[in-house]
Amino acid sequence: MSQAHWTKFEKETEEEVKNLVKQISGIQDEEDQNFQLALKFTWSNFRFHRFLDANSHKVQRSVNGIYEKLMVHSDLSKAESWVRLTEEFLNSPLPNTDGIKVWLDKKHTEWSEEESEDEDSQQPLSREDSGIQVDRTPQEDQEKTVPVTWTVGEPDARTWLEQHVVTPYWQGHTPRFPHSLHLHSNLLNVWDQHLYNTDPLYLPEEKAFVTETQVIRETLWLLSGVKKHFIFQHQDGKVVVRNDVVVTHLTNNCLRSLLEHIAVYGQAVFRLQRFIDEVTGYDTEPCPPGSYSSKQGTEPPFRTYQAFVWALYKYFTSFKQELTTIERDLIGKDETVTLAGVLDRLSPHLAQIKVLHKVFCTGVAEVPPETPNVVRASHLLNTLYKAIIEYDSVGEASQQAVALLFSLWTETVRPYLEIVDEWIVHGHLFDPAKEFIIQRNKDVPVNHRDFWYATYTLYSISETVESEEKLSDAASGSSGGEQASRSQLTMVSFLKPVLKQIIMAGKSMQLLKNLDCKEAEQTDDAERKSLYTLFLESVQSRLRCRDDSPTDTVTEQQATKQSLIKMQSIVAQHLQMDDIHDPLLAINFARLYLEQSDFHERFSGGDVIVDRSSESVTCQTFELTLRSCLYPHIQKRYIECCGNLMTTLKKDYRLLEYLQAMRNYFLLEAGDTMYDFYTAIFDKVLEKESWQQLAFLNVQLQEAVGQRCPEDSSRLSIFLETIDPVRKKQPVNNLDGLTLSYKVPWPVDIVVSSECQRIYNQVFLLLLQIKWAKYSLDTLTFSGRSSYLGVLGHRDYGEPINQQIHRMFLLRVKLMHFVNSLHNYIVTRILHSTGLEFQHQVQEAKDLDQLIKIHYRYLSTIHDRCLLREKVSFVKEAIMKVLNLVLIFSDRWQVGFGAWKIGSIDKMESDFKNCHMFLVTILNKAVCRGSFPHLESLALSLMAGFEQC
């Protein structure tokens, strides 16, 4: 290149290059051949080799790094000098120029542009042979860089930014920005021209041109929760796309389709972010679960929603970090960043946002506003639970969704497990927002006899009608379990298998706390691990050792792997991977534990070694995970609480002694004691004296009991209930209304309730009636029969008097056989054998509710086998007729033959035979059907007596 065309800058550079060659080579003669070769080599390097411009950010980072190093080493004076000298150097003006370090960057750029222009003029680009179109963009349309010196903090700083940094595309009518005239960069114009040529009615519309970079940035801003945009706009809570926004290299329909696809996810982010703001009270950062920060005058959100929002917040924190990373790459311009590439990079996150939004809509948004908190919390947890099962059934295709949902569920369930933990450990159901499915009835004190039945209410939601129903706490235990199962009611799904244990443990612990027993003392909370912590640690243990799960299979290749890494390394690895196809649990710990302060204290301190084979763990056994990681802890606490309560009731409150006392007096197992009592009544009846006096009855009872069991004499009492006179028309009904009462102290009266005493009294009355009939026949004597024969000798009875007396003796024997058979059946087959079975079951009872059911079942069994059930009342009526006949027969025996006609003997024989035949027939049929096997002994005994008739 001729020096005549050189610029002043190039001439000055030529002189500097010559001086450089002279200094390095030592050759002073410029005409020397070696000098010319060195000069040519140097110019070649300057012109054709790439020398990067100084990067001010890297220089500043290096300067700051040296300063920090000096500060770390406590060289304060050196650090101060370093900062002062570097600032003076960087801010000092260059020789023969105006300006500071910014001018250097601009000047260097000008040199590069001039060089490239000069090179392009020397070597014109030819692309005809390659098939690549040459970019014919006019130079005058290209934006030129204007050297400007500007310092941050000047008054017109914002104006300078608006004019020089970026084209204000958000303004209404911005001038069309310069761009390449390449065919691919003008697809919009080509398409508009095509539409104009083919459609006579086509009218071009006013358009707002943006670049793809601007579209990417607004996409990132939209997904990060920013509400004010140009391309995307919020209208009535919905995200819409402007109609007039275009890019030069895409058609309008193509761009709009893409932006509307993005707007859907932006709408999801907007709804989720709004929900987070509502729950957290529009604070800058949400608080962890358990603390409220709500707006004034509104009810704070319940803890389950807070925990759910906390999980969402932590997810969006990591998601926004990914958006920030993409935006930083976009600013750096080290690589080409396209909208398609950004969407592909965000595709796993967008899929997760879709899952989150679906769960939010189903579990939160679609719930009616006036729905109680208990229904809201149950519905949200059920939605997450069902979503995990649903996505998990797909397999590996939805592995990330399952991992996300499990992480979300694990966080959301924290308040529920904390409520359970407080209840089963301290006996206190702390639920101020009434979100737990079991709620305390404040009207019933703990020391009330109805505490076990009426203290708590179990809320269940029907899937068909979605209405709130209340079931008494007994429905989960003693009285209504079968009915509850038939009604198809649902509650929090994950608690169903252990709901009964939770209820029993909670009530038992509360009862223990009020009994002031040693078994209720627990370890200090500072030393005790909560139920939630135990659950997480069990999941951690399940992650480390898959052999604990019965469905997990470990191949030989996995078992022989020797690479063991720590848990923290796995977590870090999962967080750094872009395309995550990890097992469920490892991802969860990355999310759950890194934010928790006690994670490093608990897991990083020890040698927590995790086999790499554990990365194949998935959530295909979610229910098994709960069964192995959560339920055993609840079951263990249930066994401890209920076992302590049962031990306390048996040892300190003499539960077994009171149950035995009920059998002694109501079921007449204390035979000698109760014999003295009821025979006194029977003797009064035989002597035709009045016995229905409370003073007489209580004196007889106290005398009979006080001699043998003085402690029980103060607890036992007798009452006479008013009975309809119609019911007393038969002699056997004279005992009706006689009621025994036993004062059972609290808390034993929870087992021996007033309802139980009512059943005891029904059996007690039946036994008294049988004893009365037996006593009446047993006390008949044969002495004095000769006087009756003398009286009857002059009267004509149609048959010899000896034959009539013989008939009376035979009828007495038949009646005695019937009554004794019935008495033996009741006393041996029913009371004794059933009582032995009951005592064994009481010893095996694990909780109070089970004991209540055992006792109630025992009474029901006795009630049924004594034929007191309404369904077999006709059998009891036949028995009562025979017993009534016995009393009439005994009365006439005592009076003598002269007081009644011989025809009544025929009627008594006929009535007894009919009742006897009826009972034998009925009992045999029942035994043959197998419906009442316990009646077999009674049926055989009565049949033997019937054959002798």
Side-chain angles (χ1 to χ4, degrees), residues 378 381-382 385 409 413 416-417 420 436-438 491-503 531 626 630-631 634:
S378 299
L381 290 171
N382 279 347
Y385 183 90
W409 181 87
V413 83
Y416 249 62
L417 295 185
V420 172
F436 195 54
I437 57 174
I438 304 166
M491 56 202 63
V492 179
S493 301
F494 81 98
L495 284 183
K496 278 185 180 180
V498 289
L499 182 63
K500 180 180 180 257
Q501 286 87 337
I502 292 174
I503 295 174
L531 177 63
L626 293 178
L630 177 61
Y631 300 159
I634 297 177

Side-chain angles (χ1 to χ4, degrees), residues 81-133:
S81 301
W82 171 259
V83 172
R84 177 174 51 79
L85 293 175
T86 52
E87 286 297 327
E88 290 178 0
F89 173 75
L90 293 176
N91 293 326
S92 61
L94 296 176
N96 303 324
T97 59
D98 296 327
I100 54 177
K101 58 183 178 181
V102 176
W103 182 92
L104 175 62
D105 293 338
K106 295 295 181 180
K107 185 66 179 178
H108 208 75
T109 304
E110 290 178 0
W111 183 19
S112 301
E113 288 178 357
E114 291 177 359
E115 288 294 322
S116 63
E117 290 174 6
D118 189 50
E119 292 177 6
D120 290 343
S121 63
Q122 293 183 20
Q123 299 178 359
L125 180 63
S126 176
R127 301 184 182 176
E128 285 78 1
D129 295 339
S130 63
I132 301 177
Q133 182 185 1

Side-chain angles (χ1 to χ4, degrees), residues 416-697:
Y416 249 62
L417 295 185
E418 289 177 348
I419 293 174
V420 172
D421 182 70
E422 177 71 16
W423 193 24
I424 66 179
V425 172
H426 299 290
H428 179 215
L429 187 62
F430 179 73
D431 182 24
K434 294 185 177 181
E435 59 187 296
F436 195 54
I437 57 174
I438 304 166
Q439 295 182 12
R440 177 75 161 90
N441 182 3
K442 301 296 183 183
D443 299 333
V444 182
V446 179
N447 58 354
H448 194 275
R449 62 186 307 169
D450 294 333
F451 160 77
W452 199 260
Y453 306 96
T455 309
Y456 294 97
T457 301
L458 173 64
Y459 284 81
S460 301
I461 304 97
S462 173
E463 288 186 342
T464 55
V465 297
E466 289 296 327
S467 63
E468 176 185 353
E469 297 187 17
K470 295 182 180 180
L471 299 177
S472 67
D473 195 35
S476 65
S478 57
S479 61
E482 295 181 0
Q483 181 178 1
S485 63
R486 290 195 299 267
S487 60
Q488 297 300 322
L489 297 176
T490 61
M491 56 202 63
V492 179
S493 301
F494 81 98
L495 284 183
K496 278 185 180 180
V498 289
L499 182 63
K500 180 180 180 257
Q501 286 87 337
I502 292 174
I503 295 174
M504 292 303 104
K507 291 194 296 186
S508 299
M509 198 62 217
Q510 187 171 4
L511 195 57
L512 280 171
K513 287 289 186 180
N514 285 270
L515 293 179
D516 296 329
C517 59
K518 296 181 179 180
E519 283 77 5
E521 297 178 1
Q522 300 294 327
T523 58
D524 188 12
D525 276 356
E527 302 176 358
R528 183 186 66 87
K529 293 181 180 180
S530 67
L531 177 63
Y532 186 73
T533 302
L534 291 174
F535 167 60
L536 294 183
E537 289 183 353
S538 297
V539 177
Q540 165 78 354
S541 176
R542 181 178 172 85
L543 173 66
R544 294 201 308 263
C545 183
R546 293 190 60 204
D547 294 338
D548 294 341
S549 176
T551 59
D552 292 336
T553 57
V554 182
T555 63
E556 182 178 358
Q557 180 181 2
Q558 292 171 336
T560 56
K561 287 187 177 180
Q562 299 297 326
S563 57
L564 300 178
I565 58 175
K566 289 189 176 182
M567 185 64 189
Q568 297 89 322
S569 301
I570 285 185
V571 173
Q573 175 188 1
H574 294 319
L575 289 178
Q576 293 173 0
M577 295 175 65
D578 293 333
D579 189 15
I580 302 176
H581 298 286
D582 307 327
L584 161 72
L585 299 177
I587 301 176
N588 293 335
F589 284 105
R591 290 204 181 111
L592 290 176
Y593 289 124
L594 285 182
E595 293 85 0
Q596 297 181 5
S597 59
D598 60 342
F599 169 70
H600 294 286
E601 296 177 3
R602 185 177 301 135
F603 293 110
S604 63
D607 296 332
V608 183
I609 306 300
V610 183
D611 191 345
R612 294 287 299 194
S613 62
S614 64
E615 294 187 3
S616 61
V617 177
T618 64
C619 196
Q620 294 175 0
T621 55
F622 177 50
E623 290 160 334
L624 290 177
T625 301
L626 293 178
R627 195 176 303 167
S628 62
C629 299
L630 177 61
Y631 300 159
H633 301 296
I634 297 177
Q635 184 75 14
K636 179 182 178 182
R637 186 60 195 165
Y638 155 76
I639 294 174
E640 291 178 358
C641 293
C642 297
N644 291 339
L645 178 60
M646 294 301 296
T647 302
T648 302
L649 292 178
K650 292 176 182 178
K651 288 177 54 180
D652 301 339
Y653 292 88
R654 303 163 55 196
L655 171 65
L656 299 181
E657 297 179 21
Y658 286 116
L659 291 176
Q660 183 62 50
M662 298 301 294
R663 296 198 303 275
N664 288 341
Y665 304 121
F666 287 86
L667 305 184
L668 309 182
E669 287 190 11
D672 51 353
T673 300
M674 296 308 293
Y675 180 83
D676 294 343
F677 167 68
Y678 61 70
T679 54
I681 300 175
F682 299 158
D683 289 341
K684 284 278 187 180
V685 176
L686 292 176
E687 295 171 3
K688 307 298 181 180
E689 297 180 6
S690 175
W691 60 270
Q692 297 175 339
Q693 299 173 2
L694 282 179
F696 164 75
L697 294 174

Side-chain angles (χ1 to χ4, degrees), residues 342-410:
V342 170
L343 294 180
D344 182 67
R345 184 172 175 179
L346 291 176
S347 59
H349 297 280
L350 297 181
Q352 291 176 345
I353 289 176
K354 183 178 180 181
V355 173
L356 292 178
H357 185 253
K358 181 180 179 181
V359 169
F360 166 75
C361 291
T362 306
V364 177
E366 296 177 2
V367 179
E370 302 301 325
T371 305
N373 289 344
V374 59
V375 182
R376 289 177 178 268
S378 299
H379 183 61
L380 175 58
L381 290 171
N382 279 347
T383 300
L384 288 169
Y385 183 90
K386 293 176 182 178
I388 293 174
I389 303 300
E390 177 184 350
Y391 280 97
D392 184 49
S393 62
V394 179
E396 294 183 1
S398 61
Q399 199 169 12
Q400 295 181 24
V402 174
L404 174 65
L405 289 172
F406 184 82
S407 174
L408 216 64
W409 181 87
T410 307

